[in-house]
Amino acid sequence: MGFRTTGGAPASGPAAGSSQGARWYMPGKKKKAFENVYQFKITLRDIRPPIWRRIQVPETYSFWDFHVAVQDAMGWTDSHLHGFQMKDPKSHVEVDIGFPNEFSSEQHLGWKTAIAAYFSLKNPRATYTYDFGDNWEHMIILEKILQKEPGAEYPRCIKGKRACPPEDIGGVWGYEEYLEKLNNPDIRDEEDEYYDFDFDPEHFDCAEIAFDDPEKRLKNARILECF
């Protein structure tokens, strides 16, 4: 269901052109100082009760940086392709941001594209899709732009509800079936022996979230070798 970003290069696709407001992501470069943070609410679509997170990230973030923060806050393992879809505030045309792949060869490169070039309180919404096989769609809303708090570390998760679904579970429908079998062991079959049923769908604790360094993850993914 995609390619593992922690161990290999993108599956396919040539380099896409840079977008307006873009910034180059330079591994090893000192991170930019910032004064403001963007507060986002991220909600996994088509699941009830909702699974959601509220996070704050530096205004200087690229879409790649933001992708890593979303992954870590939600509880995904960044093992598959991803992409953002949102309206370009100047052309009003919906664009794809991530990296080129077999599903969208016209994507703006996430590590070259600043979130501040697209997100604003007048243009606050985006869709973030993770794993084009399971097709987990997340609704992203920019709620506020705030001054950073002295001494606070960013990114940070300030609130959320419910556990992230297991990876490779089959999307929304597969997750619903998994929960039925989690609650009723009698309907499990031989194929279910590979699933981990030691899972609490209601569990979530902000204190358990550890945010990875997006620069290190980009380097380890070896994505830049293809562009």
Side-chain angles (χ1 to χ4, degrees), residues 7-23:
S12 63
S18 61
S19 66
Q20 50 200 334
R23 68 178 178 88

Side-chain angles (χ1 to χ4, degrees), residues 31 37 47 54 60 146 151 174 183-185 200 206 208 222:
K31 294 192 170 48
V37 294
I47 290 184
R54 179 168 286 121
T60 53
L146 307 164
N183 295 322
N184 186 0
D200 179 2
C206 282
E208 295 177 357
R222 298 168 58 193

Side-chain angles (χ1 to χ4, degrees), residues 40-60:
F40 292 97
K41 185 176 182 181
I42 304 150
T43 306
L44 194 56
R45 284 180 168 156
D46 300 323
I47 290 184
R48 296 290 181 273
I51 298 170
W52 62 273
R53 307 287 185 261
R54 179 168 286 121
I55 67 173
Q56 296 174 344
V57 306
E59 62 185 338
T60 53

